[in-house]
Amino acid sequence: MTLKTLTEVLAHAEADSYAVGAFNVSDLNQAVAVLRAARQEQSPVIVQAIAGMHPYDDEGWWWDRLRELIESHPTVDAVLHLDHGRTFDDCRRAIEHGFTSVMIDASRDAATDEPADFDANVAATRAVVEHAHPLGVSVEGELGTIGGAEAGVRGIVEDIIFADPAQAAEFVARTGVDALAVAVGTSHGSVKFTTDEQGQRLRIGLIAQIHAGIPGTFLVLHGSSSIPADSVRTINEHGGRLPSSYGIDTEQKQQGIASGIRKINQGTDSHLAWTAALREALDADRTTVEPSAAIGVTIDAMAAAVAQRMREFGSAGRLAVH
Ligand code: 13P
């Protein structure tokens, strides 16, 4: 079987001290790009979709096609993961559609978007674990609050509340989560930090402390796209209006991996590569309306961006998790 659980894939990453990229996809072509990169790089991969973020009429239809697409790549070890499930129902539905891993993000109150009370986060996360584990599905929770914007999930969130190592240990003991997203200085979205200095703010010591306290739980880094300046420049040269921004550079992510990070989420960098290629292609050829060439370059660009991360995270060449 192609589909793996998060636990199966990350156990190998923990043993050999590397991280597996979890790449956000919003449509089937983006999933084609991620799977192509995984096959080319001989890398395990986590394909993740955010609840509610896709262009289709019916989320269940989208999730079924996504699962089938992954299953049609029998040589790739892939996890199908729900990113930022906000409710128990999001997670239950994803499991019904064959997801092998779900994130319940109860770090903020789903109604008010205010940082959630610790006990409320524990209770919501525990309920998902009790449902998912008997079905063989892995669960990721979140502790602390990560800043920035998840389009379609919440608006810009300025406050970052760092994860606390003692609370992380209590959270894991009380919920039984397999993986934990920790707020250690990153921020979601294409506008992260407005100065280079702010971008250098991954709390490496904090990651190491949390890892030491919960060695059996896989640590997850959200919001760590690098925001490559060349993608931003290409987008703006072809009609875009992105403000300049700084992300988390490769060296910091690699220090994070050395300190215990095992899953690294990437949405924005992939989408930047995709959008830059699309804008450039449409600008270069203003008469063709048949879309296959333009869509083709977006797939190529996103596959290249994802493949680069697989090499940087150390997952390239590690396909054999059987
Ligand atoms: P970026 O916006 O930095 O790519 O982070 C994505 C993410 O963490 C999705 O959960």
Side-chain angles (χ1 to χ4, degrees):
M1 188 182 78
T2 319
L3 278 173
K4 304 283 171 193
T5 66
L6 195 64
T7 302
E8 283 175 293
V9 163
L10 295 188
H12 288 262
E14 182 69 43
D16 286 354
S17 296
Y18 62 92
V20 181
F23 299 99
N24 287 92
V25 296
S26 307
D27 81 348
L28 287 168
N29 286 320
Q30 291 201 323
V32 167
V34 171
L35 291 164
R36 184 191 293 174
R39 206 173 41 207
Q40 279 171 2
E41 294 300 323
Q42 296 285 294
S43 172
V45 69
I46 300 156
V47 179
Q48 60 183 18
I50 294 180
M53 198 185 292
H54 58 84
Y56 307 109
D57 284 346
D58 178 346
E59 187 152 74
W61 180 92
W62 148 236
W63 286 348
D64 286 342
R65 301 291 86 71
L66 184 57
R67 195 197 63 243
E68 286 167 5
L69 180 68
I70 296 172
E71 285 171 345
S72 73
H73 290 66
T75 59
V76 174
D77 286 335
V79 179
L80 176 55
H81 176 79
L82 180 73
D83 189 26
H84 288 286
R86 296 302 306 277
T87 62
F88 178 88
D89 200 53
D90 285 342
C91 297
R92 184 193 54 74
R93 285 187 303 116
I95 293 169
E96 262 173 31
H97 286 279
F99 281 56
T100 51
S101 177
V102 292
M103 176 190 192
I104 173 70
D105 176 4
S107 64
R108 287 180 181 276
D109 185 283
T112 65
D113 220 19
E114 290 301 313
D117 169 72
F118 180 73
D119 287 330
N121 187 356
V122 166
T125 306
R126 175 81 214 157
V128 172
V129 170
E130 280 173 358
H131 178 70
H133 277 181
L135 300 169
V137 172
S138 310
V139 179
E140 174 183 332
E142 178 169 322
L143 191 62
T145 62
I146 296 164
E150 284 287 343
V153 177
R154 54 172 68 119
I156 296 267
V157 174
E158 300 289 349
D159 52 320
I160 299 177
I161 301 172
F162 294 111
D164 172 75
Q167 262 198 352
E170 185 186 341
F171 187 80
V172 167
R174 287 175 60 188
T175 61
V177 284
D178 307 287
L180 186 63
V182 283
V184 288
T186 57
S187 174
H188 290 112
S190 64
V191 180
K192 296 190 183 300
F193 307 107
T194 48
T195 65
D196 197 8
E197 240 173 29
Q198 283 177 311
Q200 310 294 318
R201 58 187 215 175
L202 204 56
R203 286 358 187 228
I204 301 298
L206 181 57
I207 296 170
Q209 253 183 301
I210 297 172
H211 187 236
I214 46 171
T217 307
F218 307 113
L219 298 187
V220 184
L221 197 58
H222 280 238
S224 54
S225 272
S226 302
I227 319 293
D230 56 342
S231 295
V232 173
R233 195 178 318 112
T234 302
I235 290 171
N236 288 345
E237 279 170 4
H238 297 282
R241 292 264 172 86
L242 293 181
S244 75
S245 178
Y246 298 86
I248 306 293
D249 64 31
T250 304
E251 200 187 322
Q252 286 184 80
K253 282 183 252 190
Q254 288 174 337
Q255 286 171 6
I257 295 168
S259 305
I261 294 290
R262 297 294 164 244
K263 171 176 181 271
I264 302 187
N265 287 12
Q266 170 168 305
T268 301
D269 282 353
S270 303
H271 301 320
L272 284 170
W274 179 275
T275 300
L278 185 60
R279 281 188 178 275
E280 199 170 27
L282 292 177
D283 218 4
D285 180 351
R286 295 174 175 235
T287 54
T288 302
V289 293
E290 196 285 316
S292 58
I295 292 173
V297 296
T298 62
I299 294 174
D300 292 346
M302 181 156 158
V306 167
Q308 182 186 342
R309 294 291 180 254
M310 289 168 166
R311 296 190 293 272
E312 291 168 357
F313 298 165
S315 70
R318 310 236 188 209
L319 196 56
V321 300
H322 312 279

